[in-house]
Amino acid sequence: MAVTSFLSDTSHEMATSVLPSFLTALGSPPLVLGAIEGVSDALSSFVKLGAGWYSDKVGRRKGIVVAGYFITGVALSLFAFANGWALVMVARALGWLGRGVRGPLRDAMLLDSVDQKDRGKAFGFHRAGDTLGAIVGPLTAAALLGFFKQAGPGSGVPALRGIFLLTLLPGVGSAVAFASLVKEKHGAGKSQHKFWATLHRMPSGFRRYLVGIATFGIGDFSHTLLILAATQILKPSWGITRAAQVAAILYVLRNVSYTLFSYPVGLLSDRLGRRYVLVFGYAIGAVTMLGFSALFAFPNYVLPILFLLFTGAGLYIAVEDTLEGALTADLVPDSGVRATALGLLGVVNGVGDLVSSLVVGGLWNASPPMAFAYSAFMMLAGALVLSQFR
């Protein structure tokens, strides 16, 4: 699973790291990027619930996961043919549809393969492999930008289109890897309950937990906007192409931080308790967004501060992605509804992604510092709600 996610993340992070520059070159405002990210993430999250419930019902997951990886791998390459934001939105939505379908099923298969005491480590290890691809992807994109820049003037947009086409190789490779390397326990946790009956079986503690997740989530926007923020901050001094390269490298730094912290975070949660570590991660997220808000307002010592903020972004996402699913498994011990619970978690996160990306994108037009201040406030509120959870 880690090998598969490495290839998949290589593909979509190659595309993600240069997408803001591509949309800017096409004349699209920041609100469009926020809308694309929010709609795609929301669609991805909404289908997680149905896919999770269906896989619980039939007791089979692997074929659906393979199809999901394949759809995502092909869809991102369609960016290369876009002359406006509409095709980008459709292709991104299609790709994230495949991502949403596979997510809870893959995580349920991961949980079936490890003991309860090792859940944090297992999720952390998988996320580390996943994010290693998110390091290779932007580095590859940055290198290709430099290579195409040597080809001559006017090569900016064609170079971006070429990068999108090349995402097809690792993208399709991820589907091949999962099909050939991962074995499934057929019938594990098979459920006979109908959809609504399955939702009603969710423990009350898990429902209360989702309140904290939702509160944090409506401030936790897509980190593609962080790339846009770095690009805009650096553009006056560095120029658009150079700023895009540096922003992509900063995003790599974020992913390096994510990779380095994922396994230790999971290990720490196995020993200390996941709630405490998750609250800490949420608080780090709030501090990071406050830092971005201040940087827009007081743009001094820009590059060192950006390095620090992107590192903080990687840390809090490592905590969030590693522990939200593992804590869900702790709160929903019935393997017969586990993929449904993970899908429900995805829906809550998806609604948060949609709201946060649209609100932050909208506030950005009025004041970027205000947009990040809103994000910091909601993240801190989510940490406070979760700190009261038992």
Side-chain angles (χ1 to χ4, degrees):
M1 292 182 191
V3 170
T4 299
S5 291
F6 165 76
L7 291 171
S8 181
D9 258 42
T10 297
S11 172
H12 74 69
E13 294 292 353
M14 281 175 64
T16 296
S17 64
V18 298
L19 181 59
S21 299
F22 183 65
L23 289 172
T24 299
L26 296 181
S28 301
L31 180 59
V32 169
L33 178 60
I36 290 173
E37 293 292 336
V39 169
S40 300
D41 287 341
L43 179 61
S44 171
S45 299
F46 293 153
V47 300
K48 287 180 180 179
L49 180 56
W53 170 78
Y54 179 77
S55 74
D56 280 337
K57 184 176 178 61
V58 301
R60 290 178 179 269
R61 317 190 201 278
K62 181 177 177 179
I64 303 174
V65 175
V66 171
Y69 276 112
F70 181 80
I71 290 171
T72 303
V74 172
L76 296 180
S77 65
L78 298 179
F79 291 175
F81 305 100
N83 292 312
W85 61 264
L87 180 57
V88 174
M89 177 172 281
V90 170
R92 181 65 174 249
L94 179 62
W96 262 230
L97 179 69
R99 199 177 183 192
V101 166
R102 76 187 190 230
L105 282 63
R106 180 205 60 216
D107 288 349
M109 293 175 66
L110 176 62
L111 289 166
D112 288 339
S113 69
V114 298
D115 293 331
Q116 179 179 353
K117 64 182 179 62
D118 296 323
R119 283 173 180 165
K121 288 185 289 184
F123 269 92
F125 180 80
H126 175 263
R127 295 299 183 259
D130 179 274
T131 315
L132 184 60
I135 296 170
V136 172
L139 281 177
T140 302
L144 288 171
L145 281 173
F147 173 78
F148 285 121
K149 185 178 180 180
Q150 302 300 320
S155 62
V157 172
L160 298 176
R161 295 187 190 279
I163 291 172
F164 293 141
L165 284 175
L166 289 173
T167 65
L168 192 63
L169 297 177
V172 174
S174 66
V176 174
F178 200 93
S180 59
L181 298 177
V182 178
K183 295 183 179 180
E184 180 179 11
K185 296 180 179 178
H186 292 298
K190 187 173 181 179
S191 172
Q192 301 299 324
H193 295 276
K194 295 186 180 298
F195 179 74
W196 292 112
T198 302
L199 292 183
H200 289 153
R201 291 182 64 195
M202 296 298 160
S204 59
F206 175 60
R207 298 176 188 178
R208 292 193 298 272
Y209 165 65
L210 290 178
V211 174
I213 298 293
T215 305
F216 178 84
I218 59 177
D220 186 23
F221 56 87
S222 169
H223 279 193
T224 309
L225 287 170
L226 296 184
I227 303 174
L228 179 62
T231 302
Q232 288 188 350
I233 291 170
L234 296 171
K235 180 181 175 181
S237 301
W238 297 67
I240 182 60
T241 301
R242 180 69 170 168
Q245 285 182 292
V246 174
I249 293 172
L250 286 169
Y251 194 67
V252 171
L253 175 66
R254 175 262 195 194
N255 292 336
V256 170
S257 174
Y258 184 136
T259 303
L260 293 177
F261 285 115
S262 291
Y263 185 79
V265 161
L267 179 62
L268 193 64
S269 76
D270 286 336
R271 297 182 178 180
L272 300 182
R274 305 195 211 289
R275 180 174 67 92
Y276 302 108
V277 183
L278 188 54
V279 168
F280 170 77
Y282 281 6
I284 291 295
V287 172
T288 299
M289 296 310 153
L290 278 177
F292 272 101
S293 180
L295 186 60
F296 267 100
F298 308 101
N300 297 319
Y301 307 104
V302 170
L303 202 54
I305 296 175
L306 282 173
F307 269 75
L308 184 61
L309 293 178
F310 272 84
T311 300
L315 171 57
Y316 94 76
I317 287 293
V319 176
E320 179 185 355
D321 285 356
T322 298
L323 299 188
E324 284 185 353
L327 188 50
T328 293
D330 295 340
L331 294 168
V332 186
D334 184 355
S335 62
V337 297
R338 187 170 289 154
T340 305
L342 290 166
L344 187 57
L345 172 68
V347 169
V348 172
N349 277 325
V351 172
D353 288 340
L354 178 59
V355 172
S356 61
S357 294
L358 290 176
V359 171
V360 170
L363 288 175
W364 196 301
N365 291 329
S367 169
M370 185 187 302
F372 283 103
Y374 158 82
S375 175
F377 176 80
M378 296 311 304
M379 288 182 174
L380 182 60
L384 293 174
V385 171
L386 195 61
S387 69
Q388 304 303 311
F389 169 75
R390 296 291 183 271

